[in-house]
Amino acid sequence: MTKDFTVAIVGGGLCGLAAAYPLSKAGVTVKVFEAAPKFEEIGAGVGFGPNAIRALESLGLLPAILARSDQESPEQRLFKFVEGSAPHNLVFDYETTNPTNLGLGIYRPACLDGLISLLDPSITQFNKRCSSLTTTSTGRTRIQFSDGTTHEADIVIGTDGIRSVTRQFVIGEKAKPLVFANTYAYRGLVPLEDLVRAGIKTDLSVRPTCFVGKGKHIICFPIKGGQVINFVAFVAQHDIEKGPEVPLPWVQSVPHEELKRQYKEWGPDGQIIIDHLKNPSRWSIHACIPPLKSYVHDKVVLVGDAAHAMLPHLGAGVGQGFEDVFTLIQLLTHPQTRKSNLDKILACYNQARPPRASDVLTRSTKAAEIYDNYSADGYDIAEMQARLRGQWEPVWNYDVREVTEALFKKLRDDGVFSAAQL
């Protein structure tokens, strides 16, 4: 069944491609506009929680992603928390309330390759950087690109990331939603055998691990069958107010000595990790704080980081993007969705997604403050355990499928959808 409306997706990252495939499959005319000359992902590993797995599976995307991962199927990925200082005692061993809470860790470019494999290449245009959007006299949205070309569509889905142009259209050009979180992240990949050879004692090969300390923590999780460890070393100042965006570039190569100075008081396993992050890239961490209250204006709708750029401390940002995608795609591809009722369809999306994603954003912000407060004058082991216990359950136990069914019911109750036609 061919739909009577068209969709343009601004941004060809994970969320953009995750939306493009099911829309195209459902008979929607869709175009993806990517600013880069080719599809590419910056970063290393990425983790998907059970809520994200449910969305990906229901969208028909999970098999292609699993085929590029080192897991045959989703499995439990429960964090353990360890002292950053010697002797690296176990602080907390996370347990989930639901044994079916299964996740996936994957190399980010491999995940993107899985989504690319599903896509008809003809629907994508590269070197198309969105510079502005306007609403036409006919109610469509015109996208202006930096090369001087334009494109019009009935709906524009903004998946253009943390420095989103589509977000500015939705919230207004004068709004400044991004703040610098007074946090730097140093990223790197290290072969496990190198760490073992250097004498590391903490086992990093199977489970995600968080080394906690005062004002800093290190996230470690295995990828590529446990043969490579993805590290993100965070350094933060939580006692000063979050400020405006810092000047570009937000990602910089920095001297190894800078990172070593930050962790000079940590124990031997911490020193081994830092010693092996030889060429660290330093990321200035930004987020939408406070969260946006609306993701829709006219017929432009925000998804992923464009909607709710959040701190990464629960590993939940991409999962919220996939929840966005699932909700929006289910609404747009419903048999009774048509051009004449799109405003009401998008209003339903806007009712469901901002409260949910804002809650996860707030929880992610709080998690950093917990991880970075383990010290003699901060939280002891008992306090850490109390604060960490159950922190992922509100994120993981949310079932986006049930929420979307409730939205369908609301549309029927409001007379937008007819029960007789189902």
Side-chain angles (χ1 to χ4, degrees):
M1 177 180 177
T2 302
K3 290 291 188 180
D4 65 346
F5 57 86
T6 61
V7 174
I9 297 175
V10 178
L14 296 181
C15 288
L17 299 193
Y21 169 69
L23 282 172
S24 179
K25 186 178 178 182
V28 178
T29 299
V30 57
K31 289 287 185 182
V32 178
F33 297 98
E34 168 56 35
K38 62 179 181 179
F39 289 126
E40 57 185 353
E41 269 292 332
I42 299 174
V46 63
F48 304 144
N51 54 309
I53 295 295
R54 285 189 285 271
L56 289 169
E57 187 173 33
S58 299
L59 287 165
L61 303 172
L62 186 58
I65 293 173
L66 278 173
R68 271 94 178 155
S69 78
D70 302 302
Q71 297 178 211
E72 292 184 2
S73 60
E75 57 193 38
Q76 281 203 339
R77 302 182 72 250
L78 305 179
F79 264 88
K80 59 182 179 182
F81 294 83
V82 177
E83 290 178 327
S85 57
H88 302 303
N89 288 324
L90 180 67
V91 174
F92 186 62
D93 196 346
Y94 192 85
E95 295 181 0
T96 179
T97 59
N98 183 352
T100 66
N101 275 340
L102 307 178
L104 172 68
I106 186 172
Y107 187 48
R108 188 180 285 264
C111 181
L112 187 68
D113 286 345
L115 296 175
I116 292 169
S117 72
L118 299 171
L119 211 59
D120 178 352
S122 69
I123 72 172
T124 302
Q125 293 186 34
F126 296 102
N127 295 304
K128 291 292 182 181
R129 182 173 298 279
C130 173
S131 57
S132 65
L133 299 97
T134 54
T135 302
T136 70
S137 59
T138 59
R140 306 186 88 205
T141 300
R142 179 179 295 119
I143 308 169
Q144 179 77 43
F145 299 103
S146 57
D147 63 3
T149 62
T150 62
H151 179 83
E152 290 186 12
D154 295 305
I155 296 177
V156 171
I157 302 176
T159 63
D160 49 341
I162 190 167
R163 300 186 66 246
S164 170
V165 174
T166 57
R167 182 200 295 131
Q168 291 304 134
F169 176 83
V170 170
I171 66 175
E173 290 298 326
K174 294 183 179 179
K176 302 293 182 184
L178 290 180
V179 299
F180 174 53
N182 302 319
T183 302
Y184 292 108
Y186 300 83
R187 301 174 182 265
L189 299 173
V190 181
L192 177 64
E193 62 180 359
D194 292 354
L195 300 166
V196 172
R197 189 180 301 116
I200 197 165
K201 302 300 182 187
T202 306
D203 182 8
L204 304 180
S205 65
V206 178
R207 293 178 57 187
T209 301
C210 179
F211 289 88
V212 295
K214 185 65 172 179
K216 53 184 68 72
H217 67 278
I218 301 177
I219 297 290
C220 328
F221 61 89
I223 60 174
K224 299 188 177 181
Q227 298 306 303
V228 174
I229 309 301
N230 181 79
F231 291 108
V232 190
F234 291 94
V235 177
Q237 292 179 283
H238 297 290
D239 56 347
I240 60 176
E241 187 176 355
K242 296 176 176 60
E245 297 177 43
V246 299
L248 295 174
W250 288 354
V251 181
Q252 297 176 295
S253 295
V254 296
H256 188 218
E257 286 303 315
E258 175 181 322
L259 180 56
K260 287 178 68 68
R261 283 196 303 272
Q262 298 285 7
Y263 284 85
K264 64 182 180 180
E265 296 177 357
W266 274 38
D269 281 5
Q271 297 301 321
I272 289 171
I273 291 169
I274 297 304
D275 284 345
H276 284 77
L277 297 177
K278 296 291 188 183
N279 300 297
S281 57
R282 187 186 69 192
W283 298 55
S284 299
I285 303 301
H286 290 71
C288 284
I289 300 175
L292 304 188
K293 295 181 179 180
S294 174
Y295 298 165
V296 177
H297 177 63
D298 289 346
K299 292 187 177 65
V300 177
V301 53
L302 304 179
V303 165
D305 280 349
H308 44 68
M310 64 183 65
L311 301 182
H313 305 297
L314 289 180
V318 176
Q320 286 310 291
F322 289 147
E323 285 186 11
D324 295 340
V325 170
F326 178 82
T327 306
L328 183 59
I329 293 326
Q330 292 297 104
L331 288 167
L332 292 180
T333 60
H334 190 279
Q336 295 183 46
T337 296
R338 53 186 60 90
K339 189 174 181 177
S340 60
N341 60 18
L342 284 177
D343 285 334
K344 293 178 180 178
I345 298 300
L346 295 182
C348 263
Y349 172 85
N350 211 29
Q351 172 192 343
R353 291 309 305 159
R356 160 63 174 169
S358 295
D359 177 66
V360 177
L361 187 157
T362 301
R363 292 176 184 278
S364 297
T365 304
K366 183 63 178 176
E369 298 169 3
I370 297 172
Y371 305 162
D372 291 347
N373 204 28
Y374 181 76
S375 65
D377 59 346
Y379 303 148
D380 60 14
I381 286 180
E383 182 72 11
M384 288 289 287
Q385 291 173 348
R387 291 177 179 272
L388 291 169
R389 187 173 289 112
Q391 74 166 358
W392 272 286
E393 303 311 290
V395 180
W396 289 352
N397 293 334
Y398 181 95
D399 194 332
V400 71
R401 299 168 300 188
E402 294 178 359
V403 174
T404 305
E405 285 299 321
L407 294 179
F408 289 159
K409 180 179 185 303
K410 181 180 187 304
L411 288 165
R412 292 194 295 271
D413 291 345
D414 293 347
V416 181
F417 289 167
S418 169
Q421 295 182 30
L422 295 179

